[in-house]
Amino acid sequence: MRRFLLGLTITAVLVALGASSGTGSAATSGRSTRAVVSTRMASLPLLQSQVLAAINDLRRKQGLVPLKPNSALAAAAFEQSASMAAHGFFGHASYGGSPFWKRVAAKYTISNGSWKVGENLVWRSPWLSAQSALELWLASPEHRDNLLSPAWREIGLGAVHVSSAPGVYEGRAVTILTADFGVRR
């Protein structure tokens, strides 16, 4: 465990966004009413693929290696987006309060060596486009650093849309996107 912790570098960033028809809000609490969203939540594979293409286009223009999709990182990212939508919070920590890297570590495993992970979050009401996600992340130095870090080799994207989200989303329709970045050595 000590070796694992020494080899782990956490680059976590968070963004809260205002939207034209609603506002975004950063919160790690806001654990008010849990909504039953299974029938109202939709995964957004098209948005995820568009965001990946936009990130990799940006990275190529900067002379960086494009990121490869990783299903374990995608599972961790989707889990966080779905949890935020269901429980009405917005933050890197899991709903139970554990740090994001523990959530990612449960899926993005290594047998030996070290790894690094980072995370970008964004939400918007009612819809989020790949272009707006990228523009908003680029406007923030911490998010820009994650997008353009030469360390990253893999990415997992998890996007959900909910017609009426509880808690910090105040019942609005929202699109939530989590991007988990990683590298294993």
Side-chain angles (χ1 to χ4, degrees), residues 83-152:
S83 181
M84 288 187 290
H87 298 285
F89 74 100
F90 184 68
H92 293 287
S94 297
Y95 180 66
S98 64
F100 90 93
W101 63 266
K102 284 189 177 182
R103 170 179 35 84
V104 176
K107 298 188 180 338
Y108 190 63
T109 58
I110 61 167
S111 59
N112 199 4
S114 65
W115 59 267
K116 296 179 185 182
V117 292
E119 183 169 83
N120 282 5
L121 304 175
V122 63
W123 73 271
R124 196 159 208 186
S125 178
W127 292 100
L128 176 70
S129 71
Q131 180 180 349
S132 64
L134 195 64
E135 288 172 358
L136 291 162
W137 282 337
L138 287 171
S140 162
E142 295 86 4
H143 298 98
R144 183 180 184 85
D145 288 350
N146 254 354
L147 292 171
L148 298 175
S149 173
W152 304 136

Side-chain angles (χ1 to χ4, degrees), residues 13-180:
V13 291
L14 174 66
V15 66
L17 305 172
S20 58
S21 63
T23 59
S25 176
T28 55
S29 57
R31 292 177 173 89
S32 56
T33 309
R34 180 180 177 183
V36 178
V37 296
S38 60
T39 59
R40 298 180 293 144
M41 188 182 306
S43 173
L44 302 172
L46 179 60
L47 175 61
Q48 294 164 183
S49 66
Q50 291 170 341
V51 170
L52 177 60
I55 290 171
N56 280 338
D57 185 51
L58 173 70
R59 289 177 63 87
R60 281 186 200 96
K61 288 177 182 174
Q62 298 295 318
L64 297 169
V65 176
L67 300 175
K68 294 179 182 174
N70 178 281
S71 61
L73 289 172
F78 181 79
E79 179 181 293
Q80 184 67 356
S81 291
S83 181
M84 288 187 290
H87 298 285
F89 74 100
F90 184 68
H92 293 287
S94 297
Y95 180 66
S98 64
F100 90 93
W101 63 266
K102 284 189 177 182
R103 170 179 35 84
V104 176
K107 298 188 180 338
Y108 190 63
T109 58
I110 61 167
S111 59
N112 199 4
S114 65
W115 59 267
K116 296 179 185 182
V117 292
E119 183 169 83
N120 282 5
L121 304 175
V122 63
W123 73 271
R124 196 159 208 186
S125 178
W127 292 100
L128 176 70
S129 71
Q131 180 180 349
S132 64
L134 195 64
E135 288 172 358
L136 291 162
W137 282 337
L138 287 171
S140 162
E142 295 86 4
H143 298 98
R144 183 180 184 85
D145 288 350
N146 254 354
L147 292 171
L148 298 175
S149 173
W152 304 136
R153 292 294 180 259
E154 300 175 304
I155 189 171
L157 296 159
V160 297
H161 179 78
V162 182
S163 61
S164 177
V168 299
Y169 309 107
E170 300 176 343
R172 289 187 291 256
V174 297
T175 304
I176 303 168
L177 173 65
T178 300
D180 285 334

